[in-house]
Amino acid sequence: MLRSEGECAARRRSPSKGLAIVRKRLPGRVQLVVAALSFIALGLSGAPASAHARTQPQTPAAGQAAVRINEVESSDGTPGDWVELVNTGSAAADLSGWVVKDNDDAHAYPIAAGTSLPAGGYLALDVESSFGLGGSDSARLFGPGGTTLVDSYKWTTHATTTYGRCADGTGSFTTTAAPTKGAPNACPTSWATWPGGSTVTVADGSNVFGTNLSGLSFQDAGVLWAVKNGPGTLYRLVPDTGGKWRPDPTGGWASGKALNYRNGTGDPDAEGVTFTPDGLFVATERDNDDGNVSLPRIVRFDTSSTAGALNATAEWNLTADLPAVEANSGLEGITWIPDTFLTGHGFRDEHTGVAYDPAAYPDHGSGLFFVGLEANGTVYAYALDRTGGGYHRVAGFASGFPAVMELQFEPATGRLWAVCDNTCQGRSTTLGIDAQGRFAITARYNRPTGLSNHNNEGFAIAPQTACVSGRKPVVWADDDNDGGHALRAGTLNCTP
């Protein structure tokens, strides 16, 4: 994710009502609004102040509507403070004239006439247009006219994320794992200890890359590819002394190579990279020369080129197939999984409705590409036509996060890793193919104890040949270049 100078991703809270401290992201970045973990709905792109149907609504009484406060954002929201309602009943609720207040009766947000909340639906109300919520405050829901109290929640300090009911609509309020405006709550879950060493070390020289280093991929134990999202740059990294990595000083790679689109123009916002038997592929969010327009593309580059700048050799524009998102919330991660693994584990093709058959896509090469969409945390699998820009979506599934920043397939264990940045405390999930042929979460991990909560948007796992004493290297890329370093190295167990 491209950031301006001095930006960081730490989520901060204002100490009192009326003091706005915003998330330090690029302007226009949407807040994470889609449900995380096992509650996420495939393909949900998030829509503030709109109702989303729930698949299994709770019904307190037949034919009765039961509207409750479900989630509260009191600081650093998008576009500001908001209160989310949920209808746990079995009938639609007419909310015309209902009123939301904070702890001051003079602060009122009236719900517009004609507003209906379907059974099992969610409605996020941007109350900051009428009043702000403070660090010690309350949200109160009143019936028509604003006199009859229906529900309320009181807090004494801003949540690090939001306050939400777990389970939705019926449980007690708690600090959520992530904001999920207008969607099921991201309720806290247990996270396992990192399955490797706890020690993490700096893995690059001082200020070699600067900010915006975003994606990583091992070619082999001696070559690590990295991309920078602004300006779009590709680096070929080789081992340095002390377990560090440096740009390859040969072949014109000493300062990295600028990336262009096929016509030799543009500045691809390179967020993810994967090295495959079919070449090197990059996932981009947009063209930085037109930074306000989303442009989710997979782009291939020829790494054997001796040119100082690389023009794409092929492009696949996925805009028409993906949910509409803001320019800075598009493709973040990319990885490649061979057909042999997918067919050997019974992967199901959602496009055909049967077991995945590579022969159904005769021009796609030897595997599928999996990309992660930041805006909704969903992973999409594609068969890319090697000639032209055609493609077929083969599957889509939840990463376990409201936003996914990196994907890495680990061939030795068959695990697909999904990584989130500091908005999710640097955590990771692993996914495997279940009995129904779909990728499902198999484990959830905290970051290593020796790794600070950096804005890590890149993650790469060394091949099994690099195993020493049962562990192999892993590398993280910090988009913020904290302390003048963008790369950090740790270890992962060679067997699960």
Side-chain angles (χ1 to χ4, degrees):
M1 175 172 303
L2 178 63
R3 304 179 195 281
S4 59
E5 182 178 0
E7 288 178 320
C8 69
R11 179 183 177 89
R12 303 188 185 278
R13 293 285 169 178
S14 56
S16 62
K17 182 182 300 184
L19 178 59
I21 301 179
V22 300
R23 184 194 301 265
K24 295 185 178 180
R25 295 265 188 191
L26 265 184
R29 168 163 183 171
V30 294
Q31 190 165 356
L32 309 179
V33 299
V34 181
L37 313 177
S38 59
F39 297 105
I40 190 168
L42 176 61
L44 187 63
S45 60
S50 62
H52 293 276
R54 195 177 171 189
T55 56
Q56 292 181 329
Q58 299 176 16
T59 55
Q64 179 184 359
V67 178
R68 306 192 74 184
I69 297 172
N70 194 54
E71 188 177 7
V72 176
E73 170 63 273
S74 62
S75 179
D76 194 18
T78 300
D81 297 343
W82 47 266
V83 175
E84 178 192 86
L85 309 180
V86 62
N87 182 358
T88 64
S90 58
D94 181 4
L95 301 184
S96 300
W98 288 44
V99 178
V100 175
K101 301 180 182 179
D102 62 2
N103 60 4
D104 186 340
D105 284 335
H107 295 164
Y109 178 95
I111 300 177
T115 302
S116 178
L117 184 58
Y122 299 82
L123 179 66
L125 304 170
D126 295 318
V127 298
E128 191 155 303
S129 60
S130 297
F131 57 84
L133 296 171
S136 179
D137 209 338
S138 63
R140 297 180 295 162
L141 176 65
F142 292 83
T147 57
T148 302
L149 183 65
V150 175
D151 194 19
S152 66
Y153 175 64
K154 182 179 181 180
W155 60 93
T156 57
T157 185
H158 290 304
T160 54
T161 52
T162 60
Y163 290 116
R165 290 188 185 274
C166 290
D168 286 278
T170 60
S172 300
F173 277 91
T174 187
T175 301
T176 62
T180 56
K181 186 179 183 182
N185 288 340
C187 294
T189 188
S190 58
W191 295 84
T193 302
W194 174 256
S198 60
T199 301
V200 174
T201 59
V202 167
D204 62 347
S206 179
N207 289 311
V208 172
F209 303 101
T211 58
N212 298 330
L213 200 68
S214 189
L216 299 172
S217 178
F218 275 98
Q219 176 178 332
D220 52 44
V223 176
L224 175 63
W225 294 97
V227 288
K228 189 172 184 176
N229 57 54
T233 309
L234 177 65
Y235 296 91
R236 188 180 192 271
L237 307 182
V238 295
D240 199 357
T241 58
K244 296 182 179 180
W245 293 87
R246 61 171 178 161
D248 189 344
T250 66
W253 292 100
S255 299
K257 295 191 178 186
L259 302 180
N260 303 313
Y261 292 108
R262 291 187 71 177
N263 60 5
T265 65
D267 177 14
D269 183 82
E271 298 285 353
V273 61
T274 186
F275 188 88
T276 82
D278 299 326
L280 183 137
F281 296 76
V282 171
T284 73
E285 280 189 324
R286 61 189 178 274
D287 179 354
N288 288 323
D289 288 346
D290 190 10
N292 293 323
V293 178
S294 176
L295 188 61
R297 289 188 181 184
I298 298 175
V299 190
R300 185 175 64 202
F301 294 95
D302 178 7
T303 59
S304 66
S305 172
T306 58
L310 301 179
N311 294 342
T313 59
E315 298 177 16
W316 294 267
N317 187 348
L318 307 180
T319 303
D321 189 64
L322 293 171
V325 300
E326 291 195 3
N328 205 38
S329 300
L331 299 184
E332 283 284 338
I334 183 171
T335 195
W336 178 87
I337 301 181
D339 287 338
T340 51
F341 174 83
L342 297 171
T343 56
H345 289 77
F347 182 54
R348 187 176 187 273
D349 185 339
E350 295 175 4
H351 177 67
T352 62
V354 296
Y356 170 60
D357 179 8
Y361 310 100
D363 190 40
H364 81 286
S366 56
L368 300 181
F369 291 86
F370 291 69
V371 293
L373 190 66
E374 178 184 357
N376 63 9
T378 299
V379 180
Y380 300 90
Y382 289 97
L384 303 181
D385 296 342
R386 288 183 293 178
T387 57
Y391 58 84
H392 298 275
R393 188 205 291 188
V394 179
F397 50 90
S399 67
F401 293 109
V404 58
M405 295 298 173
E406 179 69 290
L407 297 172
Q408 283 288 307
F409 178 64
E410 186 184 6
T413 63
R415 294 184 291 189
L416 174 61
W417 288 76
V419 179
C420 191
D421 60 7
N422 51 356
T423 60
C424 308
Q425 304 300 310
R427 289 166 169 155
S428 307
T429 60
T430 59
L431 302 97
I433 300 175
D434 63 15
Q436 287 72 47
R438 291 179 53 85
F439 275 92
I441 295 172
T442 56
R444 298 178 173 89
Y445 295 114
N446 283 311
R447 67 182 190 271
T449 55
L451 179 64
S452 297
N453 192 24
H454 300 292
N455 182 30
N456 289 323
E457 293 190 358
F459 175 67
I461 303 171
Q464 204 77 350
T465 56
C467 286
V468 175
S469 300
R471 287 179 176 168
K472 55 190 172 185
V474 294
V475 184
W476 290 268
D478 172 16
D479 189 274
D480 287 341
N481 196 48
D482 287 341
H485 295 283
L487 295 177
R488 290 171 180 81
T491 57
L492 181 66
N493 297 338
C494 292
T495 57

